[in-house]
Amino acid sequence: MSIIKFDEEYFMRKAIAQAEIAAEEGEVPVGAVAVKDNHVIASSYNQVEKLKDATAHAEMIVITQAANAIGGWRLDGVDIYVTKEPCAMCAGAMVNSRVHRVFFGMHDPRCGAVCSALQITSFPGMLHKVRVSGGLLEAECSEIMREFFRKVRKAKQKQPNK
């Protein structure tokens, strides 16, 4: 039996597919997948509006799913691919759950918490540090976000003033 080794772009494209689902459902288009031993063990997208839950970010959901898949909260050896740089909440959850690496697409200079605005995943004194690789398929990830907000602005312009 031959073993197929997938690369980082393959897994990021899986995350992009999740972001596209989010956009179709009217959610901010962020998608994430969790990978262990070259297999996707969890995948999700932002569901804040759908679940009426401010913590329902793609990363938070995928961390919970991954923990369920491996039967424990320590995500040793698990890599997370996400289309946008994680926020402080999601970066903190990655540290606490011992995620091995995070690969992200687009940088978030205002709220990104793994390398842009903050560096939570490598903050001195943390019990665990998450390896970070940013800018993977950044142009594609950024375009999904731009297109989503273009549509949101256009829809708001069409609404009558109240």
Side-chain angles (χ1 to χ4, degrees):
M1 176 168 91
S2 65
I3 296 175
I4 299 171
K5 178 75 171 141
F6 298 106
D7 65 7
E8 286 85 13
E9 284 191 13
Y10 172 84
F11 294 119
M12 184 57 79
R13 291 194 189 288
K14 296 283 188 189
I16 289 170
Q18 291 295 307
E20 290 168 343
I21 294 169
E24 289 169 13
E25 293 187 8
E27 298 280 354
V28 173
V30 177
V33 298
V35 176
K36 183 169 176 66
D37 299 327
N38 206 37
H39 291 90
V40 173
I41 60 169
S43 60
S44 193
Y45 54 90
N46 274 5
Q47 297 176 45
V48 171
E49 301 300 331
K50 178 181 183 177
L51 299 177
K52 312 266 185 273
D53 179 355
T55 68
H57 290 194
E59 302 96 309
M60 299 297 284
I61 296 168
V62 91
I63 286 169
T64 299
Q65 291 176 348
N68 287 330
I70 65 172
W73 65 269
R74 285 185 177 89
L75 301 183
D76 299 319
V78 173
D79 296 334
I80 292 181
Y81 293 78
V82 60
T83 56
K84 187 184 80 59
E85 183 178 355
C87 69
M89 172 182 66
C90 296
M94 289 177 187
V95 170
N96 288 340
S97 61
R98 314 298 199 266
V99 167
H100 179 238
R101 291 183 299 189
V102 60
F103 296 87
F104 70 88
M106 65 176 281
H107 287 80
D108 184 350
R110 193 173 51 128
C111 298
V114 300
C115 68
S116 293
L118 300 168
Q119 295 85 37
I120 289 174
T121 51
S122 61
F123 190 78
M126 292 292 217
L127 295 175
H128 176 76
K129 291 185 177 28
V130 179
R131 291 174 49 199
V132 174
S133 182
L136 182 59
L137 299 179
E138 185 164 18
E140 292 176 47
C141 295
S142 297
E143 182 54 32
I144 292 167
M145 193 69 70
R146 275 192 302 274
E147 182 59 27
F148 174 79
F149 283 108
R150 221 178 274 129
K151 288 179 181 176
V152 167
R153 285 189 299 276
K154 189 174 181 179
K156 281 185 179 181
Q157 288 173 351
K158 289 182 178 180
Q159 292 178 351
N161 290 338
K162 293 182 180 180

